[in-house]
Amino acid sequence: MSAPTPTIGSALIPPAAMKAWRALTEALVDSPPPCAADPEAWFPTDDLGVDLAAYHCGRCRAAAECGAYADAAGERAGVWGGRSRTVPRTDRSAA
C-alpha cells in the first residue's frame, strides 16, 4: 500500500512536484511563511495586491523553494516565490 498523496487544502500535490514540495516544507519547518497568516492575500485581484504580495513573498527565507514548487506544479495563479504566476484570462467576448 502506498503513502497517501499530500494535499494543500483540498488540492493534490502533482506527482512531478513532489520533490519540490518536500524541499519547500523542509525549508519552512522552523517558522511559518508570511503567506500563512492570510493565504488569500497571495491571490490578489489588483496590481497593488500583486506588488505587496511579491514584496513580502520575496523576503521569505523559503522564496526559492516556493518558486521551484510553483514551477514544478505548474501554478497558474497567485504569487509564489516572489513573483506573480497568474495567467491572464483571454477576453472571449472580443472574438
Side-chain angles (χ1 to χ4, degrees), residues 2 6 8-9 22 30 35-36 40 43 47 49 51 53 58-59 63-65 67 69 71 73 78 81 87-88 91 95:
S2 64
I8 302 174
R22 288 189 182 112
D30 292 331
C35 57
E40 290 181 20
F43 294 89
D47 290 341
D51 290 345
R59 296 173 54 107
E65 292 87 353
Y69 167 74
D71 290 341
V87 175
D91 184 3

Side-chain angles (χ1 to χ4, degrees), residues 23-28 31 33-34 57-68 81:
L24 174 58
T25 57
E26 192 173 299
L28 297 172
S31 63
C57 184
R59 296 173 54 107
C60 176
R61 63 189 189 96
E65 292 87 353
C66 180

Side-chain angles (χ1 to χ4, degrees), residues 62-95:
E65 292 87 353
C66 180
Y69 167 74
D71 290 341
E75 288 294 343
R76 297 173 49 97
V79 174
W80 296 80
R83 69 179 179 93
S84 177
R85 308 298 173 128
T86 302
V87 175
R89 290 191 222 173
T90 57
D91 184 3
R92 293 189 182 104
S93 63

